[in-house]
Amino acid sequence: MKYAAELFGTFALVFAGLGTAVLAGGTVHAVGISFAFGLTLVAMIYTIGPISGCHINPAVTLAMVLTRRMKAAEAAGYMVVQVIGAIIGAGLVLAIAKGNGFIPTPDNFGINGYGAHSPGHYNLLAAFLTEAFFTVLLVITVLGATDEKAPAGFAGLAIGLVLAVTNLASIPVTNASINPARSIGPAIYVRGWAIDQLWLFIVAPLAGGALAAAIYLTLRGAGEERGKAKAAGA
């Protein structure tokens, strides 16, 4: 059931987020697209979170392994079904869009890119830093908001809002990936430069997830040491 939940959750995220970009992007623009992704994530956290933890992002799953919240074998299964869910979600968006004569290209199907294919023509380094460090913000929020010491019931809001903000900031640079599955889903339908540049939108978010795990473990360890010191002093 965990794998089915992750597949469905990633499908929903890509279907709603990419669907907003492709079908309504000209009306809602970057703000609407960002909140489509963020609000869908909020909904999925409260829907499938009790079943699978609602990672729906390989970068989040990697961080869960590095922080020892799940085992590598289980994480590999999560990542596979996340990509499958994203492919299905993108395919359904494409099927709907074609009902109006839409012809998908790397430039009109929410594809992530850098250089000449960046919305703002940002270079490779800028794109990599954007994807890596906005993923850090997302993943460290996930780790903190789902910590056993965090206030119960608020994780979905915190995580969804940070995804909306990170999308809003990164759309002009890369079209906002922050999730390898989200990038892979639409890219396989249009190929071309979308496939050529796909590596960055796999590597950078995963690097961001790993860095977020390291930062979180450091901060949490420091917090525990301070707690022990206070207890000893008392």
Side-chain angles (χ1 to χ4, degrees), residues 21 34 79 119 155 161 233:
S34 299
M79 291 180 183
L161 286 173

Side-chain angles (χ1 to χ4, degrees), residues 30 34 37 111-113 118-120 122 126-135 162-179 182 201:
S34 299
F37 277 103
I111 301 298
N112 304 115
S118 157
Y122 287 84
F128 192 95
L129 293 174
T130 296
E131 289 295 322
F133 283 94
F134 280 118
T135 303
V162 80
L163 180 63
V165 170
T166 54
N167 269 258
L168 187 58
S170 57
I171 281 174
V173 184
T174 63
N175 246 349
S177 171
I178 317 174
N179 182 338
R182 173 263 182 269
F201 303 100

Side-chain angles (χ1 to χ4, degrees), residues 98-204:
K98 283 185 173 180
N100 195 30
F102 177 81
I103 299 175
T105 72
D107 298 303
N108 67 5
F109 199 51
I111 301 298
N112 304 115
Y114 57 84
H117 305 299
S118 157
H121 300 286
Y122 287 84
N123 64 21
L124 186 154
L125 178 60
F128 192 95
L129 293 174
T130 296
E131 289 295 322
F133 283 94
F134 280 118
T135 303
V136 168
L137 295 184
L138 172 64
V139 174
I140 206 165
T141 300
V142 172
L143 293 173
T146 58
D147 189 276
E148 59 185 10
K149 296 181 180 179
F154 294 98
L157 293 175
I159 297 166
L161 286 173
V162 80
L163 180 63
V165 170
T166 54
N167 269 258
L168 187 58
S170 57
I171 281 174
V173 184
T174 63
N175 246 349
S177 171
I178 317 174
N179 182 338
R182 173 263 182 269
S183 295
I184 294 169
I188 68 166
Y189 290 100
V190 297
R191 301 184 181 279
W193 65 258
I195 297 296
D196 296 337
Q197 296 194 351
L198 183 59
W199 69 269
L200 186 144
F201 303 100
I202 297 173
V203 174

Side-chain angles (χ1 to χ4, degrees), residues 39-90:
L39 292 175
T40 302
L41 182 55
V42 171
M44 288 300 102
I45 288 171
Y46 291 118
T47 302
I48 68 168
I51 302 171
S52 69
C54 191
H55 299 182
I56 61 178
N57 182 336
V60 172
T61 299
L62 174 62
M64 292 297 176
V65 173
L66 296 177
T67 55
R68 299 178 184 175
R69 296 192 189 182
M70 73 184 306
K71 296 186 177 182
E74 184 179 30
Y78 267 45
M79 291 180 183
V80 169
V81 297
Q82 287 160 2
V83 171
I84 293 171
I87 292 171
I88 296 171

